[in-house]
């Protein structure tokens, strides 16, 4: 341990002598000691003499002042060999002794050594607390001196040869390199210089402050560093303090260590003797063995059952694995089949996208032809009725005169006289009737139609043009598939029926869940509408079951259970596809034809045919189906329009009502009443089929009250009453009471 003591400044000779004298006075204040100190100070002021001592006495020095004398200290005088009689060796061995000496010096015998050993401490005494060192006190190394140095016992200072050997060994190891198996790195192998690496902990980066401002900054930095060091010194880390105390305790320098207590003396404790145990008997041993055997049998039975359950579970797992493999194979087959089906349906969709616009154009052309024919028939019937009403009630003046017609040169074309035109039309109508009667023998039904049978027929030239147009539309439908080479696109029973039938047969659940039957109907609709193109149910005798699509769909619907027993067979999962097709494609087409003028409300033949077609539709989809109600509404609109047209035509003549004597008035009145009677009979026939739905009976009463009765009253005695009563008698009893006779 190093300790520093501040050395005092050097003083002059007088000051030193004064201080020494003061010190000596402090030590010994007796007069003798003061006198001796003055003598010594005088001796010191004398000429310096040699300090070497060769064991001489002071008396001889005082005696012979001129000779060479050695001055000895009191300690050297005490240690002078041979001067003290007690230290003189004995002359013989008999005179030697090991007891206590007469001068009081210890004799190292056995008792004294034991006492000395007992008084010695086993550990080093605790370090005295010298107080807290004040770091704020400036220290000058040059003004300090080493006071003491505590060196542990057993530590030797290495010699120069030892240091040289260690340096040579280090150089050899550095030349050889690190050990191949060593993972450590020697300090000399590190890259870089130590000054560069630890520059922040040394003064390598410090700069000398030259200016006033720089010195001020340096002083502030030093002050901050000192405050930081003080703060760090004040902080106490429990682990660090504990570690320092442990190190001090191990080195024997721990001031807080106390002498360990003497170990307690162990007392011998004998091992306990176990209690006596009875000898086992045969009965209890056999009973224990029986219990063990029963437990083993139960365990064996349980293990056998567990093994059997494991075996069954293994078999079930094998079966399940086989089923899963089959399911995976089936799923792959199903995926492959549906991929092919999707590809084929996409080709069908492309085909329909290309062909549907042409089909719709042909259908629109057919509807326009029906409208044109209905317009021609309605216009001719209107002109005939106007001629007859003019004869009966007179000709009313025209409210909106038509503009004059101009020819190519801008000249006004003279108009024909309306009266002359009526006479010409009447003569032509009579001539046409006579020609027809002379050419064909009329039956009883034809005689009933006499007088208005030609109202729903076209002139020969127009009829020929109409038939040519219908034939052109039919030919266009046949040529629509002329560029198709694949048979499955020409005949849906070879394509659609095949794919959808395979889907229903292989994956019935998927087919039913996806409403595959309705999908088939939607795809097959194109070929159904193509086959119905140009078909007029009123002029043609073909029924719905005469078409190929009807039989093909019926066969597809019945092929589901063809292999099953007829008694146990169930209906197909997708229902009757024929009825679905009729409600999807046939009914909308039929309603559009009726509303476009395809049906003549004055024709009993047309009503008979439409009733036949309606019965077929009703048998397929039912009378409560909304598509069947669409047919009824279309027919009701046809009859209602005919009634409104008759009332509108009669209204201006009733307002004018200026009849003139004309021999043709009776015949004209009979023709008007007969045509009205025919319309009433047709509506009653339709009412007989449908019932009083949508007010068919009310239309009959309305026509009689608003059209037939005003005409009949103009010639009640000359045939008007008879014809009117015939119409009223044809009405049901509940409707006849509503007629205002």
């Amino acid at each position: 341990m190093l300790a520093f003591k501040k050395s005092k400044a050097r003083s002059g000779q007088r000051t030193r002598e004064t201080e020494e004298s003061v010190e000596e006075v402090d030590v010994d204040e007796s007069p003798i000691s003061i006198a001796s100190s003055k003598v010594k100070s005088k001796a010191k002021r004398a000429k310096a003499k040699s300090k070497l001592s060769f064991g001489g006495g002071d008396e001889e020095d005082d005696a012979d002042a001129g000779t060479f004398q050695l001055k000895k200290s009191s300690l050297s005088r005490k240690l002078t060999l041979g001067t003290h009689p007690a230290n003189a060796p004995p002359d013989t061995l008999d005179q030697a002794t090991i007891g206590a000496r007469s001068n009081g010096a210890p004799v190292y015998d056995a008792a004294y050594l034991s006492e000395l050993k007992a008084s010695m401490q086993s550990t080093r005494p605790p370090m005295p607390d010298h107080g807290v060192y004040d770091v704020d006190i400036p220290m000058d190394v040059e003004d300090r001196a080493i006071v003491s140095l505590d060196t542990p016992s057993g530590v030797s200072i290495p010699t120069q040869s030892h240091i040289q050997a260690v340096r040579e060994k280090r150089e050899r190891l550095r030349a050889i390199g690190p050990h191949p198996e060593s993972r450590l790195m020697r300090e000399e192998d590190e890259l870089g210089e130590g000054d560069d690496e630890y520059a922040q902990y040394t003064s390598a980066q410090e700069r000398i402050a030259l200016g006033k401002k720089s010195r001020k900054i340096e002083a502030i930095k030093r002050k901050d560093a000192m405050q930081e060091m003080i703060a760090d010194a004040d902080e106490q880390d429990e682990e660090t303090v504990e570690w320092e105390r442990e190190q001090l305790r191990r080195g024997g320098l721990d001031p807080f260590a106390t002498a360990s207590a003497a170990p307690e003396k162990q007392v011998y404790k004998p091992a306990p003797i176990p209690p006596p145990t009875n000898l086992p008997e045969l009965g209890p041993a056999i009973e224990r063995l029986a219990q063990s055997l029963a437990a083993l049998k139960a365990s064996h039975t349980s293990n056998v059952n567990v093994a059997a359950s494991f075996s069954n579970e293994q078999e079930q797992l094998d079966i399940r694995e086989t089923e899963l493999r089959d399911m995976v194979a089936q799923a792959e087959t199903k995926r492959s089949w549906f991929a092919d089906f999707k590809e084929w349906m996409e080709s069908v969709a492309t085909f329909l996208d290309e062909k549907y616009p042409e089909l719709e154009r042909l259908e629109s052309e057919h509807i326009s032809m029906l409208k044109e024919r209905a317009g021609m028939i309605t216009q001719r019937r209107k002109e005939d009725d106007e001629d007859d009403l003019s004869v009966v009630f007179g000709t009313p003046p025209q409210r909106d005169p038509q503009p004059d017609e101009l020819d190519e040169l801008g000249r006004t074309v003279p108009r024909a006289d309306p009266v002359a035109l009526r006479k010409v039309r009447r003569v032509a109508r009579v001539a046409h009737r006579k020609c027809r009667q002379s050419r064909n023998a009329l039956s009883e039904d034809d005689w009933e139609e006499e007088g208005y049978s030609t109202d729903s027929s076209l002139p020969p030239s127009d009829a020929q043009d109409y038939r040519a147009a219908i034939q052109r539309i039919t030919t266009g439908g046949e040529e629509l598939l002329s560029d198709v080479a694949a048979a499955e696109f020409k005949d849906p029973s070879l394509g659609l029926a095949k794919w959808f039938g395979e889907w229903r047969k292989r994956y019935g659940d998927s087919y039913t869940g996806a409403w595959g039957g309705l999908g088939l109907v939607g795809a097959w609709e194109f070929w159904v509408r193509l086959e119905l193109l140009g078909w007029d149910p009123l002029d043609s005798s073909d029924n719905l079951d005469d078409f190929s699509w009807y039989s093909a769909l019926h066969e597809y619907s019945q092929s589901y259970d063809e292999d099953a027993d007829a008694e146990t067979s169930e209906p197909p999962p997708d229902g009757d596809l024929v009825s679905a097709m009729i409600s999807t494609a046939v009914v909308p087409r039929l309603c559009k034809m009726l509303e476009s003028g395809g049906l003549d409300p004055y024709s009993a033949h047309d009503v008979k045919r439409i009733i036949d077609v309606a019965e077929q539709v009703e048998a397929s989809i039912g009378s409560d189906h909304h598509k069947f109600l669409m047919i009824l509404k279309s027919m009701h609109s046809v009859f209602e329009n005919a009634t409104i047209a008759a009332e509108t035509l009669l209204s201006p003549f009733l307002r004018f009502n200026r009849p003139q004597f004309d021999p043709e008035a009776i015949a004209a009145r009979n023709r008007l009443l007969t045509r009205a009677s025919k319309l009433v009979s047709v509506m009653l026939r339709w009412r007989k089929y449908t019932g009083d739905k949508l007010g068919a009976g009310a239309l009959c009463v309305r026509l009689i009250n608003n059209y037939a009765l005003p005409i009949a009253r103009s010639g009640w005695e000359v045939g008007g009453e008879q014809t009117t009563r015939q119409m009223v008698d044809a009405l049901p009893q509940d409707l006849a009471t509503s007629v205002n006779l």
Side-chain angles (χ1 to χ4, degrees), residues 228-281:
E228 185 177 357
M229 292 175 63
I230 293 172
D232 294 341
D234 293 340
E235 293 180 358
Q236 294 290 336
D237 189 1
E238 295 181 358
E239 296 182 357
T240 305
V241 172
E242 185 68 23
W243 180 82
E244 291 178 354
R245 289 182 178 179
E246 182 65 22
Q247 298 302 319
L248 292 174
R249 188 189 64 78
R250 290 181 179 181
L253 302 176
D254 189 3
F256 304 101
T258 56
S260 59
E264 297 180 359
K265 184 177 181 180
Q266 296 182 358
V267 180
Y268 172 74
K269 295 181 180 180
I273 299 174
T277 304
N278 298 328
L279 294 176
E281 297 180 357

Side-chain angles (χ1 to χ4, degrees), residues 373-386:
R373 187 189 70 167
M376 294 173 64
I377 294 173
T378 303
Q379 182 64 27
R380 190 182 64 181
R381 183 181 292 117
K382 179 181 178 182
E383 292 175 354
D384 293 343
D385 291 343
E386 285 180 350

Side-chain angles (χ1 to χ4, degrees), residues 84-106:
H84 201 280
N87 293 331
D91 295 334
T92 62
L93 295 177
D94 296 334
Q95 297 177 0
T97 178
I98 59 174
R101 298 183 183 180
S102 59
N103 57 357

Side-chain angles (χ1 to χ4, degrees), residues 392-699:
V392 175
F393 296 100
T395 304
Q398 295 182 358
R399 296 183 179 180
D400 298 329
Q402 296 180 356
D404 297 335
E405 296 181 2
L406 302 178
D407 58 3
E408 297 177 355
L409 299 177
R411 295 172 296 184
T412 302
V413 178
R415 295 181 180 178
D417 187 8
V419 178
L421 289 177
R422 284 195 294 270
K423 290 181 180 180
V424 172
R425 287 196 298 267
R426 189 180 303 114
V427 171
R429 187 164 55 250
V430 172
H432 178 68
R433 185 183 303 113
K434 290 180 179 180
C435 180
R436 188 174 61 85
Q437 291 176 358
S438 63
R439 192 170 55 245
N440 298 324
L442 297 178
S443 61
E444 184 178 358
D445 296 337
D446 294 334
W447 279 110
E448 293 179 358
E449 296 287 338
E450 184 63 21
Y452 50 85
S453 61
T454 58
D455 292 343
S456 60
S457 61
L458 294 174
S461 59
D462 295 338
Q464 186 177 358
D465 294 340
Y466 176 75
R467 287 192 296 269
I470 295 299
Q471 183 63 31
R472 186 174 64 254
I473 293 174
T474 305
T475 305
E478 294 175 356
E479 293 178 354
L480 190 61
L481 300 180
S482 60
D483 58 342
V484 179
E488 57 186 6
F489 288 100
K490 290 184 177 181
D491 188 2
S493 60
L494 301 178
L496 289 174
K498 171 181 171 296
W499 280 96
F500 278 86
E502 187 176 357
W503 182 16
R504 181 180 62 183
K505 181 179 180 180
R506 299 179 63 175
Y507 311 107
D509 296 339
S510 175
Y511 177 85
T512 305
W515 301 93
L518 297 181
L520 175 65
V521 171
W524 208 317
E525 182 181 356
F526 170 78
W527 285 271
V528 174
R529 293 171 61 178
L530 182 62
E531 191 174 357
L532 292 176
L533 185 64
W535 172 65
D536 189 354
L538 307 178
D539 294 341
S540 176
S541 60
D542 295 336
N543 296 323
L544 294 177
D545 54 357
D546 295 334
F547 292 98
S548 60
W549 60 265
Y550 189 97
S551 58
L553 287 175
H554 182 74
E555 182 180 357
Y556 175 83
S557 299
Q558 299 301 324
S559 62
Y560 177 75
D561 55 347
E562 59 182 0
D563 297 334
D565 190 1
E567 297 180 356
T568 60
S569 61
E570 298 179 356
D574 46 6
D576 188 8
L577 298 182
V578 176
S579 61
M581 182 60 72
I582 290 175
S583 62
T584 302
V586 178
V587 172
R589 176 71 176 173
L590 186 60
C591 293
K592 189 177 293 186
M593 292 173 64
L594 294 175
E595 295 172 357
S596 301
L599 174 69
D600 186 6
Y602 293 89
S603 176
H605 176 268
D606 291 354
V607 173
K608 181 180 179 181
R609 282 293 303 157
I610 196 63
I611 290 175
D612 294 341
V613 175
E615 287 177 350
Q616 296 180 27
V617 174
E618 182 182 5
S620 298
I621 64 178
S623 59
D624 297 334
H625 200 277
H626 68 281
K627 291 297 181 70
F628 180 72
L629 296 178
M630 289 175 58
I631 298 177
L632 301 183
K633 290 180 180 179
S634 299
M635 286 295 298
H636 181 77
S637 65
V638 171
F639 292 128
E640 186 177 11
N641 292 334
T643 304
I644 294 173
E647 294 174 353
T648 305
L649 182 63
L650 179 61
S651 178
F653 291 96
L654 289 177
R655 287 193 300 268
F656 184 71
N657 196 12
R658 294 177 183 179
Q660 297 179 2
F661 176 76
D662 192 342
E664 296 292 336
I666 297 175
R669 186 181 297 108
N670 290 334
R671 284 193 299 268
L672 291 172
L673 292 176
T674 304
R675 187 177 290 116
S677 176
K678 182 62 177 179
L679 181 58
V680 170
S681 64
V682 170
M683 288 192 294
L684 289 176
R685 188 170 185 178
W686 176 253
R687 180 181 181 276
K688 183 179 180 181
Y689 168 68
T690 61
D692 199 11
K693 291 181 179 179
L694 303 176
L699 282 178

